[in-house]
């Protein structure tokens, strides 16, 4: 398929950047690109930038993107030096996106590009963050649906920022939200909570999340649990309080028990039959202490990681589709 080598007049048109993180997506790109093209065709009053972030793919993803980039000036790409994960990939994308608005969209077509015109019109009405909320989640196991629901509930309960349920990263962000998000340089990130944290005018639209067009999900339960823990520990110190509360309650109860024991010994003598109950108490307290230590460790680990102040990612190659050819570093 041949795409027109479109020349936008960037000075007079608003630009919409589509930020597309891609990790081993060679199978879906051939479906994705025609739909992006159709979207751009239907929104002729806007200039489009398709900014792919190749997150260290091990397959032909980068080659395919490069092929598109050669034929189409709307296509830009960032090739990260290795796999950094989608969250960091998005940071790289936000740092490089040039649009007046940026739409974060998955490469696997689970986020239908056909929703973007509606997002754009709401943006034109003055909303800064138009996010797509899932009405249904086809092609996902009930376990994933259930755990994600419970996780949102928990997160909502322990953090003070309202977090939009059933909302992924598929959203349109105004330039000023993008500039706000760019200032978040922490390495263990939870984008969802950040979107809420920055505020601005938000608007939800409902959609049906499609199953992945091709290829396989990059998530597994270990990764999801890590993301979930990151989500909680990066946004609230509530778990640290948990051990304080547990400590207060347990020492309170123990004190009462102690008084009871002393009084009982004075009036009724001892029977020395405390071994099983003592074991139980010791083991229980040991468990509580280990959990508390773990929680503290979780935060100390975060402090350790953030104080290193490492750069979030490295760019192996950045191709700016709109830049004049000779200005490019390679080729
Ligand atoms: N992705 C990425 N880096 C990763 C894992 C995933 O850039 O390490 C991208 C992936 O290519 C896709 C999006 O993030 O565009 C969502 O990934 P996936 O579809 O695997 O997650 P799911 O939709 O199952 O939550
Ligand atoms: Mg997906």
């Amino acid at each position: 398929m041949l795409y027109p080598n479109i020349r936008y007049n960037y000075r007079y048109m608003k630009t919409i950047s589509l930020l597309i993180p891609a990790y081993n997506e060679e199978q879906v790109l051939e479906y994705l690109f025609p739909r992006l093209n159709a979207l751009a065709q239907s929104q002729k009053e806007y200039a489009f930038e398709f900014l792919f972030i190749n997150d260290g793919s091990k397959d032909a993803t980068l080659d395919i993107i490069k092929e598109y980039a050669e034929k189409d000036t709307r296509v830009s790409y960032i090739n990260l030096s290795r796999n950094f994960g989608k969250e960091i990939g998005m940071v790289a994308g936000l740092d490089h996106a040039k649009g007046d608005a940026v739409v974060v969209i998955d490469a696997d077509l689970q986020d239908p590009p056909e929703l973007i015109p509606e997002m754009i019109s709401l943006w034109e009405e003055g909303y800064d963050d138009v996010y797509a909320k899932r009405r249904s989640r086809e092609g996902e196991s009930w376990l994933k649906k259930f755990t994600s629901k419970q996780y949102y509930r928990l997160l909502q309960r322990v953090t003070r920022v309202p977090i939009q349920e059933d909302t992924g990263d598929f959203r349109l962000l105004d330039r000023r939200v993008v500039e706000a998000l760019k200032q978040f340089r922490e390495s263990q990130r939870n984008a969802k909570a950040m979107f809420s944290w920055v505020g601005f005018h938000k608007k939800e639209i409902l959609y049906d999340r499609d199953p992945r067009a091709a290829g396989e999900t990059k998530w597994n339960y270990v990764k999801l649990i890590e993301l979930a823990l990151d989500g909680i520990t990066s946004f609230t110190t509530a778990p640290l309080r948990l051990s304080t509360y547990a400590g207060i309650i347990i020492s309170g109860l123990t004190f009462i028990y102690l008084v009871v024991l002393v009084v009982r010994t004075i009036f009724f003598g001892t029977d020395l039959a405390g071994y099983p109950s003592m074991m139980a108490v010791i083991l229980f307290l040991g468990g509580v202490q280990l959990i508390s230590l773990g929680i503290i460790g979780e935060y100390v680990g975060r402090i350790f990681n953030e104080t290193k102040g490492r750069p979030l990612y490295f760019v192996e190659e950045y191709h700016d589709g709109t830049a004049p050819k000779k200005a490019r570093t390679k080729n």
Side-chain angles (χ1 to χ4, degrees), residues 25 106-111 140 144 209-212 216-219:
E25 300 286 9
D106 280 2
D108 59 6
L109 285 170
Q110 281 190 291
D111 308 330
E140 287 183 38
K144 190 169 174 189
R209 188 163 170 86
D210 299 324
R212 198 176 229 291
E216 292 209 331
T217 175
K218 312 298 177 305
W219 290 107

Side-chain angles (χ1 to χ4, degrees), residues 235-298:
F235 262 84
T236 173
T237 46
L240 285 174
R241 292 229 176 104
L242 229 68
S243 33
T244 315
Y245 292 144
I248 291 171
I249 293 170
I250 291 170
S251 36
L253 291 177
T254 315
F255 183 74
I256 295 169
Y257 185 54
L258 220 91
V259 173
V260 171
L261 274 187
V262 169
V263 171
R264 209 174 63 180
T265 319
I266 290 172
F267 289 102
F268 305 103
T270 47
D271 49 7
L272 267 181
Y275 181 72
S277 59
M278 209 162 79
M279 271 318 274
V281 170
I282 288 173
L283 288 179
F284 174 69
L285 280 184
V288 170
Q289 281 168 359
L290 280 180
I291 293 171
S292 314
L293 266 182
I295 293 172
I296 296 171
E298 199 63 44

Side-chain angles (χ1 to χ4, degrees), residues 142-198:
W142 70 267
L143 190 64
K144 190 169 174 189
K145 284 185 220 174
F146 176 77
T147 44
S148 120
K149 182 145 191 95
Q150 294 306 317
Y151 170 64
Y152 276 117
R153 281 177 67 174
L154 178 73
L155 199 60
Q156 190 66 83
R157 205 169 284 175
V158 294
T159 61
R160 283 193 200 100
V161 280
I163 288 153
Q164 291 89 29
E165 208 172 314
D166 273 338
T167 306
D169 302 321
F170 184 30
R171 54 178 75 221
L172 180 144
L173 304 164
D174 183 70
R175 178 46 54 187
R176 56 183 183 165
V177 182
V178 173
E179 291 305 320
L181 288 170
K182 275 161 73 173
Q183 294 175 37
F184 285 65
R185 306 313 288 187
E186 58 217 67
S187 54
Q188 282 160 303
R189 314 169 65 87
N190 177 338
K192 253 181 273 289
M194 287 178 187
F195 292 136
S196 317
W197 199 91
V198 295

Side-chain angles (χ1 to χ4, degrees), residues 18-33:
L18 264 56
L19 196 160
I20 313 158
Y23 174 54
N24 294 347
E25 300 286 9
E26 60 178 7
Q27 292 175 46
V28 292
L29 289 178
E30 59 173 314
Y31 304 104
L32 173 70
F33 205 75

